[in-house]
Amino acid sequence: MRFEVKIEVSPRKGIANPEGSTIERTLPALGFKTAGDVRVGKVIRLQVEADSSAAAKTIAQDMCDRFLSNPVIEDASVEVLDT
Amino acid sequence: MRFEVKIEVSPRKGIANPEGSTIERTLPALGFKTAGDVRVGKVIRLQVEADSSAAAKTIAQDMCDRFLSNPVIEDASVEVLDT
């Protein structure tokens, strides 16, 4: 079976987030005075061929640990979407 | 009230996704032969001060339309998370 997997990789709290800081600095000038604490991460969507949803999650988690995220500076979450 | 908003910005179907293609090309060599169709997008999380969840969503959608995404090449979805 084919599963759609969504992996979200975000900078950990306390780690510099230059893209988020830049957006945040620009917001007031653009008229958004009530928004803040902007953090920008990556979202990776892929298709995994596996026997079950749990197996698909294991494969994606393994990818995530090995090369899609850097656990020193990033948090990652893996989610198998219903298809 | 303070709401956490999540904005996901992904390249539209048919638009080149070099980061996703690179990951995809590397997967077989790393032992992942059952995965494919990798697409990489951005996820932006921010805090919005608003009267209601709907108002927070409107503010975030407005940001998204104005400068967080490029509708010619990207799809965006806005979601207000429960806090």
Side-chain angles (χ1 to χ4, degrees), chain A residues 34 36 39 41 43 45 47 49, chain B residues 34 36 39 41 43 45 49:
Chain A
T34 59
R39 305 188 70 71
V43 58
R45 286 172 179 271
Q47 305 277 332
E49 190 78 44
Chain B
T34 59
R39 305 187 71 69
V43 59
R45 285 173 180 273
E49 190 76 46

Side-chain angles (χ1 to χ4, degrees), chain A residues 6 8 19 27 30 32 34-47 49 63 66-67, chain B residues 6 8 19 27 30 32 34-45 47 49 62-63 66-67:
Chain A
K6 187 168 110 175
E8 197 181 318
E19 201 172 347
L27 288 176
L30 289 162
F32 297 98
T34 59
D37 200 7
V38 184
R39 305 188 70 71
V40 180
K42 270 186 304 187
V43 58
I44 303 160
R45 286 172 179 271
L46 65 157
Q47 305 277 332
E49 190 78 44
M63 280 181 197
R66 284 182 55 198
F67 54 87
Chain B
K6 185 168 111 175
E8 196 181 319
E19 201 172 348
L27 289 175
L30 289 163
F32 297 97
T34 59
D37 201 8
V38 185
R39 305 187 71 69
V40 180
K42 272 185 302 187
V43 59
I44 303 160
R45 285 173 180 273
Q47 305 276 334
E49 190 76 46
D62 189 23
M63 280 181 197
R66 283 181 56 198
F67 54 88

